[in-house]
Amino acid sequence: MRMSLQTLRVLEAFLEQPAEELAGADVQRRSGLASGTLYPILLRLESAAWFVSRWERIDPMSAGRPRRRLYRLTSGGLARASAVFATFRPGVPA
Amino acid sequence: MRARETRQTPRPQAPSGDSAPLGGLACRLIERAARRTPLSLCARLEEEWLAELAVRRGRLARLRLALGCLWASQIIAHADWHGSGAVVGAVAGHRAHAGYLPPDADWVSRRTATVLLIFAVHAALIYALWAGLASKIAAVIPESIDVTFSQELRPHPQALPPPTPKMVTPQIAMPAPQVKLDLPADPTAIQTFVPRQQRAPVPPPPPRSIQHPEIRVLGGPGPGFPDSDDYYPAFERRLGRSGVTTVSVCVDREGKLTTTPTIARSSGRPGIDRGALLLAEAGSGHYRPTLDDGRPVDSCFDFLIRFILRD
């Protein structure tokens, strides 16, 4: 897995609360990436089994909006992401 | 022919009002973008992006999202998914479509198309020059150009020295002054000037009571305070982020912390703030205490910690 700066930002957005499920807009807000950059990264990480995704369980009629796709770190993805950030020089945990 | 997933959710409607034209345009762009992606991802991405579009506020934000999706579809369409076809199927939730089906236009890559286009343009230019464009250009250009120089018949004026400036002193007729003096009869009489009212001397202002004001010099990081570079958060450094955090500390007269430092003003980056707190804690014993009239006292104060990247 190629770790670009943008990929690291996406992982960082998830590592703030690893158990949390995030929609694309949430990840975009946390990482500051443009949608054109974000979605290919999400798909790439998901195809590599770092993420899993599912559709939001809402009633679109009552919610007044369509269901969103939610992404979550897998346990393997969490371990690998933590290992990636641990390769940085030991210092203040980010 | 592409099979589309049956949507269970209503498609977001184009917003009403003045944003309708751009909202409809954004929807169309997203649909177009999704159609460019591989078949196994097409329906999912279209629904996902339209759902994101529905929660965006503002015309420009929606248009920006749509253009971003268009760009993302280009990347996704040309990404190397070939080795992970099954994963792509799982991603899309279409395990039946585990085999990767390239989009229709993928028989030639973008790079190949660009190279072919360059070759085609060059070939067209070469053919045009060979077929007669060059001869037509040559026919337009005359073979010889006659140039005649017309000589000026007017004699060339000899260079004359610049005229010397002549200084003329103006003659000004001044009338003779007529002064008439009325002298006193006795020229020895001396007139003395007596002021009408002698000013009273202004009394000097009363001396102010000199009070020594209390001079307070706030404390701060003193000698031996740790270097901020040693506490620069590794992750923030890797991402090239800088930040300034205002930290509030309480320090005794010996420069040691009396309470745990707190963030007075965040830098906006949690990592930067944590690094600043660690640096502030590590600096205990190296603070310069606050001075009241030159005497060190216990006090609390704020100071800035900057994490700035240097080349």
Side-chain angles (χ1 to χ4, degrees):
Chain A
M1 175 68 66
R2 187 171 60 88
M3 279 297 142
S4 64
L5 182 64
Q6 289 81 6
T7 307
L8 288 174
R9 287 191 172 172
V10 171
L11 288 175
E12 183 201 13
F14 279 89
L15 283 177
E16 288 185 13
Q17 290 183 351
E20 192 177 7
E21 289 182 306
L22 298 177
D26 304 326
V27 185
Q28 193 177 354
R29 191 167 47 252
R30 289 189 184 183
S31 64
L33 296 177
S35 53
T37 309
L38 173 66
Y39 286 103
I41 293 175
L42 286 177
L43 289 179
R44 193 159 54 92
L45 289 172
E46 188 177 5
S47 69
W50 291 51
F51 290 160
V52 288
S53 68
R54 65 171 180 85
W55 288 111
E56 193 179 18
R57 294 190 192 93
I58 60 165
D59 180 14
M61 294 302 175
S62 59
R65 62 171 176 82
R67 58 180 183 170
R68 297 181 303 168
R69 191 81 178 177
L70 300 177
Y71 294 85
R72 180 175 57 83
L73 267 175
T74 61
S75 55
L78 175 60
R80 280 182 282 185
S82 303
V84 166
F85 287 112
T87 57
F88 300 150
R89 90 176 161 87
V92 179
Chain B
M1 176 179 172
R2 293 185 171 193
R4 293 293 183 89
E5 182 188 29
T6 304
R7 294 186 184 84
Q8 298 175 354
T9 56
R11 293 181 58 178
Q13 298 295 320
S16 59
D18 56 348
S19 63
L22 278 179
L25 175 64
C27 283
R28 284 196 297 276
L29 285 176
I30 283 183
E31 290 168 359
R32 184 181 178 85
R35 280 197 295 272
R36 292 182 176 183
T37 59
L39 174 64
S40 50
L41 291 171
C42 175
R44 167 206 159 163
L45 287 178
E46 183 177 350
E47 184 177 355
E48 180 176 356
W49 289 343
L50 286 175
E52 295 292 346
L53 185 70
V55 296
R56 293 296 170 103
R57 294 286 173 265
R59 287 179 292 178
L60 285 180
R62 297 165 65 87
L63 194 59
R64 200 163 50 235
L65 172 70
L67 292 175
C69 292
L70 208 58
W71 179 256
S73 68
Q74 288 284 341
I75 300 174
I76 293 168
H78 295 96
D80 184 19
W81 299 100
H82 301 274
S84 54
V87 177
V88 173
V91 164
H94 296 273
R95 294 195 180 275
H97 294 162
Y100 170 70
L101 294 177
D104 299 338
D106 258 358
W107 62 274
V108 57
S109 71
R110 186 171 50 182
R111 183 179 301 172
T112 308
T114 306
V115 171
L116 287 177
L117 181 65
I118 291 172
F119 272 116
V121 170
H122 280 81
L125 279 176
I126 291 170
Y127 175 76
L129 290 173
W130 176 75
L133 183 62
S135 61
K136 287 179 183 175
I137 292 175
V140 170
I141 299 174
E143 291 182 357
S144 63
I145 299 174
D146 295 331
V147 179
T148 57
F149 296 96
S150 61
Q151 194 169 6
E152 214 172 338
L153 297 176
R154 192 167 45 187
H156 190 71
Q158 291 182 351
L160 297 176
T164 54
K166 187 182 286 182
M167 302 295 290
V168 177
T169 53
Q171 300 291 330
I172 301 174
M174 293 289 290
Q178 295 179 356
V179 181
K180 187 177 182 181
L181 296 176
D182 293 333
L183 294 176
D186 186 4
T188 59
I190 299 173
Q191 291 183 350
T192 58
F193 175 75
V194 178
R196 291 179 186 173
Q197 190 176 11
Q198 197 163 4
R199 291 181 180 178
V202 178
R208 293 178 182 175
S209 60
I210 300 174
Q211 292 179 352
H212 188 62
E214 184 175 299
I215 299 174
R216 185 179 180 88
V217 179
L218 276 180
F225 198 81
D227 190 358
S228 64
D229 276 350
D230 298 335
Y231 288 84
Y232 206 124
F235 181 69
E236 305 293 340
R237 185 196 294 272
R238 173 72 180 261
L239 294 184
R241 288 174 179 159
S242 303
V244 180
T245 304
T246 304
V247 178
S248 179
V249 293
C250 291
V251 175
D252 63 7
R253 61 192 66 183
E254 294 178 353
K256 293 179 181 176
L257 290 172
T258 55
T259 59
T260 305
T262 56
I263 298 291
R265 182 171 183 178
S266 171
S267 65
R269 300 295 317 162
I272 292 283
D273 290 346
R274 279 196 292 272
L277 286 178
L278 287 178
L279 174 60
E281 284 183 0
S284 181
H286 300 286
Y287 284 95
R288 178 169 40 80
T290 298
L291 301 177
D292 274 354
D293 285 341
R295 287 177 287 105
V297 294
D298 297 352
S299 68
C300 297
F301 53 84
D302 299 346
F303 69 103
L304 300 178
I305 293 181
R306 293 183 175 85
F307 289 110
I308 307 294
L309 286 175
R310 300 187 183 92
D311 294 334

